[in-house]
Amino acid sequence: MNPSVPISPLPPSSTAPVAAPARALLPWVRAPRRTLAASLALGVMAEVLLERARWGLGFPLVVAALVGALAWLGGREGWQRARPNAWLLLPLGLISAFVAVRDSAWLLMLNVLTSAVLLMLLSHFWAAGRVERLGFKDYVAVFFGSAVQTLLYPPALVRDSVDMRGMRTHSRLMGALSRGLLLALPVLFVFGVLLESADGVFSSTMRRLLSFDLDLGRLMVRGVGVAFSACVAAGVLGHALRRRAIKERGDAELAPATPRLGFVEALTLIFAVNALFFVFAAFQVAYLFINDASSPASGYSFAEYARRGFFELVVVSTLTLVLVLALERWTRRATRAAQTVFRASTSLMVVLTLVILASAMRRLSLYEDAFGYTLLRVHTHVFMVALAAALAWRAVTLWWKPERFAVGAFATAVGAVLALNFLNPEAFIVRQNLDRYVRTGSLDTEMFYDLSADAAFGLSVADGTVEEEYRGRLAPVLKDLRERLKQQDSVPEWNVSRFIARRVLRTGASSAPVNP
């Protein structure tokens, strides 16, 4: 039973249920006035720092302020309960800080979305529970469930913070003041017009004082922004500081599922898939790795063979991971020998899948060698490495703590986002394509128009390295980047990459403090 929900007793003579009051539809909020004040302050702060043409330093400051407000409202007792999940603060701090470091639109989207996921998890597990106890699909359920529950807290805060009885008590006084103001306005208008006509100095002074533009439209937009940000902050704070009336996801270890698939049936499926994967992997190893793919396969151009089947191989690897998860959860293994055989056969499936995934990565590398690097190809490479890490972790957890696969996969996804930020994909693309130019004498400069300030250092180096033909093609790229960076950043917009890029584009690559 939820102790925070009041129950209306039934009259002795009544048999029909009494409708629950509206108050029962909203959650109970701890320290509502302090939480409401903190939410409003965070709303104003977010509007001031984030209502900008570009995001930068303001984003990590808002995230830090939100976490600080959470620690302040929860107090020492709340922090003691949250400590087992405090490791989430490390990736949250790093990823939010990278918004003030990288300028790439791709990384901005990834960093903001990942920060939102980490904030939702931190909010859900602040009071109790463990992140590592979640199952694979529970991460999605917790994120969206927490996002929906946060919608209930802003009205609950207003309900518990505003003294409605006091407002009703003073309603007569407020009504009298309003009527007095309505009576005073026409009188003040008439006297003001007459006094303005009577004295020129008074008239000019009053005109200067009253000559300001309220810009009501802009004020309304900013007000809506403050209200929206305050509601988001109130939802996160309220959800984190809630009282748990029932068991929630993550409070206990994931219960094992009831096996529904026979051992022989599962083993037949595993052996059939392993046989197919072994034959395919043998062809891939023979052509792509042993022969080093020095010539295109029969009937294909080099580019067609490198590109053909790449996405299909990635889908096969992803589906295999899902298949292994399903088999491990639903297969009956009555004896220790059956458990050992099952683990060995599914581990072999994972190993063969890693060979298939390596084949897909090799194909992509061949395509990049032939046509150069792009943002999509680099991000796909990192995704495949993360998928390979998840598959390897699945093989480990088949033999050791199977319930910890989900948290390992989640950590792999967060690690992939961090790896992209540390790699700086746009600078990496420029370096690799410049190395390819040295080997082949060919350089695709059209794609450089899509790059941001993250690539400024590499582009400046390339401008001093390539021949005159390509230097002429790079000149408009650098000019376009200078135009985009012409407007200086305000303090909330300040970004490391844009700061270095402006300096490099103004004085040359040798003046940059570091190579970003």
Side-chain angles (χ1 to χ4, degrees):
M1 183 180 295
N2 188 346
S4 64
V5 180
I7 300 177
S8 300
L10 291 174
S13 60
S14 173
T15 57
V18 177
R23 182 183 178 90
L25 300 177
L26 299 177
W28 179 87
V29 182
R30 179 182 301 173
R33 293 187 178 179
R34 287 196 300 165
T35 305
L36 180 62
S39 302
L40 290 174
L42 288 168
V44 173
M45 182 180 181
E47 180 65 18
V48 171
L49 296 180
L50 301 183
E51 182 59 28
R52 305 284 172 167
R54 292 174 291 206
W55 279 10
L57 186 61
F59 183 79
L61 290 178
V62 170
V63 172
L66 182 57
V67 174
L70 185 56
W72 172 65
L73 291 169
R76 181 178 299 178
E77 179 184 355
W79 172 249
Q80 291 294 331
R81 291 197 300 268
R83 183 172 292 179
N85 303 297
W87 62 269
L88 290 170
L89 292 172
L90 178 60
L92 175 61
L94 284 174
I95 291 173
S96 61
F98 268 115
V99 174
V101 176
R102 300 293 176 221
D103 188 44
S104 169
W106 290 51
L107 289 182
L108 175 64
M109 179 183 66
L110 273 177
N111 290 334
V112 171
L113 289 177
T114 307
S115 297
V117 171
L118 290 169
L119 269 176
M120 283 292 99
L121 288 175
L122 189 66
S123 173
H124 182 83
F125 288 103
W126 187 264
R130 296 288 184 92
V131 178
E132 59 268 23
R133 292 173 180 166
L134 290 178
F136 196 70
K137 63 182 179 180
D138 289 337
Y139 282 90
V140 179
V142 165
F143 175 75
F144 287 103
S146 299
V148 171
Q149 289 183 32
T150 55
L151 300 177
L152 301 175
Y153 287 95
L157 283 175
V158 174
R159 174 205 68 193
D160 293 342
S161 301
V162 178
D163 186 3
M164 300 302 297
R165 292 182 179 180
M167 290 185 64
R168 285 192 293 269
T169 302
H170 297 91
S171 60
R172 293 184 179 180
L173 177 60
M174 297 299 297
L177 288 174
S178 301
R179 291 190 295 271
L181 287 175
L182 289 175
L183 291 173
L185 285 176
V187 176
L188 290 175
F189 177 75
V190 172
F191 285 162
V193 170
L194 292 174
L195 293 174
E196 183 183 13
S197 302
D199 189 281
V201 176
F202 177 77
S203 175
S204 60
T205 302
M206 292 303 297
R207 287 180 181 178
R208 284 197 304 271
L209 292 175
L210 298 177
S211 62
F212 56 87
D213 185 9
L214 286 177
D215 194 2
L216 294 178
R218 179 64 176 168
L219 287 176
M220 289 180 63
V221 171
R222 299 301 292 266
V224 171
V226 170
F228 174 78
S229 301
C231 287
V232 171
V236 172
L237 295 175
H239 186 61
L241 301 173
R242 72 194 183 283
R243 280 187 177 174
R244 297 181 178 228
I246 57 174
K247 288 288 185 180
E248 300 183 15
R249 288 183 173 89
D251 287 351
E253 294 290 351
L254 188 67
T258 303
R260 299 179 184 275
L261 183 62
F263 177 71
V264 175
E265 292 89 338
L267 209 59
T268 302
L269 171 62
I270 294 171
F271 282 170
V273 173
N274 284 349
L276 176 62
F277 282 5
F278 180 80
V279 174
F280 183 84
F283 279 100
Q284 300 304 299
V285 171
Y287 178 71
L288 290 173
F289 298 98
I290 297 177
N291 293 334
D292 200 26
S294 57
S295 61
S298 177
Y300 297 100
S301 69
F302 198 85
E304 287 174 341
Y305 185 78
R307 182 177 54 191
R308 182 178 177 84
F310 163 75
F311 288 105
E312 287 84 348
L313 295 180
V314 175
V315 171
V316 167
S317 302
T318 306
L319 291 178
T320 304
L321 178 59
V322 176
L323 177 62
V324 173
L325 288 172
L327 288 173
E328 196 278 332
R329 185 167 176 80
W330 299 106
T331 301
R332 288 195 292 269
R333 304 180 293 278
T335 64
R336 180 172 296 182
Q339 180 76 287
T340 302
V341 171
F342 175 82
R343 288 173 174 174
S345 57
T346 48
S347 297
L348 178 60
M349 183 187 294
V350 171
V351 171
L352 293 172
T353 305
L354 288 173
V355 176
I356 294 175
L357 190 59
S359 168
M361 295 179 67
R362 178 62 174 159
R363 289 168 185 254
L364 182 58
S365 297
L366 292 173
Y367 196 78
E368 288 167 337
D369 289 340
F371 297 99
Y373 288 75
T374 63
L375 281 172
L376 179 60
R377 293 166 197 165
V378 171
H379 283 76
T380 303
H381 253 311
V382 174
F383 166 76
M384 288 192 295
V385 172
L387 180 58
L391 282 164
W393 178 243
R394 174 70 277 186
V396 171
T397 54
L398 282 170
W399 300 86
W400 177 77
K401 293 189 176 182
E403 69 278 4
R404 293 294 179 259
F405 168 74
V407 69
F410 172 72
T412 300
V414 174
V417 176
L418 286 170
L420 280 169
N421 281 282
F422 283 111
L423 176 64
N424 191 358
E426 296 189 0
F428 177 81
I429 287 169
V430 175
R431 289 197 303 270
Q432 295 301 316
N433 286 344
L434 190 59
D435 290 342
R436 178 175 170 272
Y437 163 78
V438 173
R439 296 193 310 270
T440 64
S442 175
L443 182 64
D444 180 14
T445 59
E446 289 298 320
M447 60 155 296
F448 290 160
Y449 284 98
D450 298 328
L451 303 183
S452 68
D454 291 343
F457 185 90
L459 290 174
S460 182
V461 171
D463 187 49
T465 305
V466 298
E467 297 178 358
E468 191 65 33
E469 175 189 356
Y470 289 106
R471 193 172 298 167
R473 298 181 187 178
L474 280 175
V477 175
L478 293 171
K479 181 181 178 181
D480 177 70
L481 187 56
R482 287 190 186 95
E483 288 295 321
R484 282 185 279 159
L485 296 175
K486 182 182 295 183
Q487 183 179 354
Q488 294 293 322
D489 291 337
S490 61
V491 174
E493 295 173 321
W494 189 84
N495 177 278
V496 173
S497 286
R498 291 195 291 268
F499 172 77
I500 294 176
R502 291 188 181 97
R503 186 169 177 177
V504 167
L505 294 174
R506 184 173 62 250
T507 59
S510 60
S511 66
V514 292
N515 181 353

